[in-house]
Amino acid sequence: MSTSQTRPLTGHIERTSGGTTVVTLSGDVGFATRLCLGGRLDALSAGPRPDLVLDLRHVPFIDCAGLGLLCRVRNRVTARGGRLRLVSDSASFRRILRRTGLAGVFLVLPEFTGAPAGRPVREEHPAVVAVQV
């Protein structure tokens, strides 16, 4: 017998302040969302010296595809002389980074106060089907 569980849809809100783009993600980040989310993060990291903050505090689940997406963004930002910061107060997320050897790769902050909330410049809620577990 199988049971189905509906996973939260991934969405994001972007805001900018003084050249820093803060992207607040919500829902699961993984295989099902990497394409739509990846395209937007690619666009945000395309310019010279991007300053990007990814707020993961509302992400209950991230899989290997999600970690791959974070690595891709980091590589793009670094190659363009920019800066990437992750915001997470989750002990399990930090544990995942340690166990995958990525703990020293990302700057992870428990909170980010560098950019005021301001007005969102874009809000996305990509259509993602529920995943059966």
Side-chain angles (χ1 to χ4, degrees):
M1 179 189 315
S2 68
T3 60
S4 66
Q5 178 181 354
T6 302
R7 307 285 312 185
L9 298 179
T10 300
H12 75 275
I13 298 174
E14 298 172 20
R15 64 184 189 270
T16 58
S17 177
T20 299
T21 301
V22 180
V23 181
T24 302
L25 300 173
S26 59
D28 294 347
V29 176
F31 184 78
T33 58
R34 70 181 165 81
L35 293 178
C36 55
L37 186 57
R40 185 62 194 144
L41 294 176
D42 283 352
L44 291 173
S45 61
R49 303 184 62 87
D51 188 9
L52 190 58
V53 174
L54 299 180
D55 187 343
L56 305 173
R57 289 177 291 180
H58 302 287
V59 173
F61 174 82
I62 187 165
D63 67 9
C64 60
L67 289 176
L69 177 62
L70 295 180
C71 289
R72 176 185 168 95
V73 172
R74 182 207 170 270
N75 292 343
R76 289 174 57 85
V77 167
T78 301
R80 289 165 176 77
R83 176 169 62 164
L84 172 66
R85 290 163 283 175
L86 304 180
V87 180
S88 176
D89 53 6
S90 168
S92 63
F93 178 69
R94 290 177 188 268
R95 189 170 39 254
I96 289 169
L97 291 180
R98 279 193 309 275
R99 289 185 177 166
T100 58
L102 295 172
V105 172
F106 296 102
L107 174 59
V108 182
L109 308 169
E111 61 183 42
F112 181 72
T113 57
R119 152 178 168 318
V121 293
R122 177 181 168 95
E123 185 169 353
E124 275 282 318
H125 296 286
V128 178
V129 296
V131 177
Q132 288 190 354
V133 179

